[in-house]
Amino acid sequence: MLSVIEPIVVCVGVLVALLALAAGLVWLERRLLGLWQDRYGPNRVGPFGLLQVLADMIKMLTKEDWIPPFADKPIFVIAPAVIVFTVLMSFAVIPFTPHIQVVDLNIGLLFVLAMSSLGVYSVALGGWASNNKYALLGGLRAAAQMLSYEVFMGLSLMGVVMLAGSFSLRAIVEAQQGLWFCVPQFPGLVIFFVAGLAEARRIPFDLPEAETELVAGYHTEYSGMKFGMFFVGEYLGIVLVSALTTVLFFGGWLGPVLPPLVWFFLKTFFFICLFILIRGTFPRLRYDQLLAFGWKVMLPLALLNLVVTGGIVLAKS
Amino acid sequence: MNGYLPILFIFLVATFIGAAIIVLSTLLSRKNWTPIKLMPYECGMDPIGSARRRFPVRFFVIGMLFIVFDIELIFLFPWATIYDKLMIFGFVEMLIFVLVLLVGLVYVWKKGALEWQ
């Protein structure tokens, strides 16, 4: 009986923790951006502005829930839920500690890649269903961008799979007992992180919602909590990419003295802050630069990394 | 198949969360629609024409490139898991495969499919 209840408890716990984390992240991002840009950020509601998140949530929930009459209604309503759903599903195979993991699939890594690629549907369909020119352009841009960067995101992970000899994320973490993969797979790490930035549609790759040209991109027509769901999806995406970077390249829960969960949290937190720092410092790319960078620089680099890793593994044995 | 039960469970919970947020926002929100709000947003101008119009074919090209390269990627994944058993055979195989991939990439590049002008 216990074996049935345990994954359920873990599952609900993980999902609730994630949603709380995504909300907290909005606050963290605004505070950190404030710090790095020499201003305050939210500091009025509650201690350190912490209750700002709660206030924002209440505001979003009670805002006018706008379903435009010119939109494709069912798709318009479902699209924001899809992105929250796919990101939450991805976390099913992330090993937080040796014991806290919803399920350890032997195809874990493929599962994450599959789920994160389903996220494309959300933004593409949301943009299309809005029946608004800005939204349509944003949706198209998002689709083309996420597809392009997915190719070498998968390629960059090939080296990790080769070294660990498994797709199971737990096996990948355990294979890093001696040496974290960020050392032998440093090019893979860089390529993966850049692809992660693009997949999460963050600056410098946030062209789908470039506010200077497309108003708000694919969610121009969204309001209230439907807009909020795109937001939550984006922040959960940041957590997902950070957690994946930790698991695949930085030894997941491995670390001395402190308990595994603390190590996992600290490492993930570091990458989340890196995401925010990048947002605070980089300008936005142009769309042709973005695609050219992906196909002409990152894809050959990822292939090169694959060949070199193969050669090194071969030479070592 | 037993290992996939938690996946089914997280599927149900994640679907529930998504649906719950949508329902909640429908229930809690106010409705105050005016004729101006019923127009698509175009920076305050009256919209010109429908949004269902032609858009650059390059987006389709990117989509096609993605399918080609992603399928080749799928062939590489199983290869990577058993690389430690294939060794020299696997390495040469992979070199040939990546070479084919590269030829494809160079062809696409030279044809100008990667240019956005």
Side-chain angles (χ1 to χ4, degrees):
Chain A
M1 200 55 206
L2 197 75
S3 63
V4 180
I5 293 177
E6 203 206 321
I8 293 178
V9 172
V10 172
C11 170
V12 174
V14 166
L15 290 185
V16 170
L18 280 175
L19 288 177
L21 205 64
L25 208 55
V26 180
W27 173 82
L28 180 77
E29 169 156 50
R30 292 177 64 187
R31 284 299 287 201
L32 280 182
L33 280 179
L35 184 74
W36 286 325
Q37 294 171 348
D38 203 14
R39 55 188 174 81
Y40 285 115
N43 66 347
R44 295 285 148 171
V45 195
F48 305 106
L50 258 174
L51 293 180
Q52 183 72 45
V53 176
L54 198 67
D56 281 349
M57 213 143 75
I58 293 170
K59 182 180 139 190
M60 271 198 205
L61 273 173
T62 50
K63 277 277 172 183
E64 188 169 347
D65 189 36
W66 168 239
I67 301 174
F70 47 85
D72 203 334
K73 289 195 186 68
I75 298 177
F76 184 86
V77 173
I78 291 169
V82 169
I83 195 157
V84 174
F85 169 79
T86 53
V87 183
L88 286 179
M89 285 287 280
S90 310
F91 279 97
V93 290
I94 302 277
F96 298 97
T97 75
H99 305 293
I100 304 177
Q101 182 181 20
V102 175
V103 58
D104 183 38
L105 294 181
N106 53 4
I107 53 152
L109 194 55
L110 290 184
F111 184 82
V112 173
L113 287 176
M115 279 302 147
S116 67
S117 25
L118 281 182
V120 179
Y121 281 109
S122 173
V123 284
L125 288 179
W128 172 256
S130 297
N131 208 348
N132 173 308
K133 283 165 202 147
Y134 295 116
L136 177 69
L137 282 175
L140 282 175
R141 277 186 181 188
Q145 164 181 341
M146 288 169 83
L147 293 183
S148 305
Y149 280 69
E150 212 178 289
V151 173
F152 62 84
M153 182 185 232
L155 262 180
S156 68
L157 298 179
M158 215 70 82
V160 172
V161 176
M162 241 190 274
L163 292 176
S166 171
F167 284 131
S168 154
L169 291 178
R170 188 181 299 199
I172 288 175
V173 172
E174 275 157 5
Q176 299 179 61
Q177 296 276 11
L179 183 66
W180 290 353
F181 286 161
C182 59
V183 181
Q185 274 300 305
F186 186 72
L189 166 67
V190 174
I191 297 167
F192 175 78
F193 197 74
V194 171
L197 276 172
E199 286 283 301
R201 301 177 302 284
R202 294 284 295 184
I203 285 178
F205 303 114
D206 71 334
L207 287 133
E209 45 191 306
E211 63 268 23
T212 42
E213 29 181 331
L214 288 185
V215 188
Y218 55 89
H219 50 50
T220 301
E221 290 290 346
Y222 282 90
S223 72
M225 208 51 207
K226 290 202 188 67
F227 164 76
M229 282 166 97
F230 277 121
F231 224 69
V232 170
E234 182 182 326
Y235 280 88
L236 282 178
I238 296 170
V239 180
L240 179 68
V241 174
S242 306
L244 273 179
T245 314
T246 304
V247 167
L248 297 170
F249 295 100
F250 287 87
W253 67 74
L254 299 173
V257 190
L258 297 170
L261 190 60
V262 175
W263 271 115
F264 185 89
F265 184 77
L266 280 178
K267 290 173 188 172
T268 308
F269 185 74
F270 173 79
F271 289 109
I272 291 174
C273 291
L274 191 61
F275 259 95
I276 298 171
L277 181 62
I278 287 173
R279 170 169 174 187
T281 44
F282 276 86
R284 184 180 295 133
L285 290 174
R286 235 171 40 218
Y287 200 68
D288 60 324
Q289 292 172 330
L290 169 106
L291 286 178
F293 180 67
W295 288 98
K296 295 180 183 172
V297 180
M298 293 315 246
L299 185 62
L301 260 184
L303 284 174
L304 189 69
N305 178 43
L306 176 72
V307 173
V308 170
T309 310
I312 290 174
V313 171
L314 190 70
K316 266 191 173 173
S317 61
Chain B
M1 259 338 256
N2 223 5
Y4 285 84
L5 261 183
I7 293 286
L8 177 70
F9 187 72
I10 202 167
F11 174 86
L12 292 177
V13 178
T15 314
F16 171 77
I17 290 176
I21 298 177
I22 286 183
V23 172
L24 208 65
S25 71
T26 319
L27 290 180
L28 289 178
S29 65
R30 298 172 298 148
K31 295 255 184 310
N32 179 25
W33 293 5
T34 59
I36 301 296
K37 276 190 200 166
L38 297 179
M39 290 199 290
Y41 178 78
E42 274 193 39
C43 300
M45 313 291 280
D46 286 353
I48 301 167
S50 154
R52 298 275 185 263
R53 52 192 296 167
R54 295 188 288 176
F55 53 81
V57 72
R58 295 181 200 92
F59 288 109
F60 284 112
V61 175
I62 296 290
M64 277 160 61
L65 287 180
F66 163 74
I67 291 176
V68 173
F69 280 93
D70 217 40
I71 287 177
E72 309 203 31
L73 201 65
I74 290 167
F75 285 123
L76 273 174
F77 267 119
W79 166 85
T81 45
I82 52 163
Y83 184 66
D84 50 345
K85 297 183 190 72
L86 294 174
M87 294 330 278
I88 191 82
F89 168 73
F91 186 64
V92 175
E93 272 290 64
M94 184 266 287
L95 276 185
I96 297 170
F97 192 77
V98 168
L99 199 71
V100 174
L101 255 178
L102 269 182
V103 170
L105 185 65
V106 169
Y107 175 76
V108 166
W109 197 327
K110 286 280 168 261
K111 275 281 172 189
L114 303 181
E115 309 301 326
W116 201 259
Q117 303 307 322

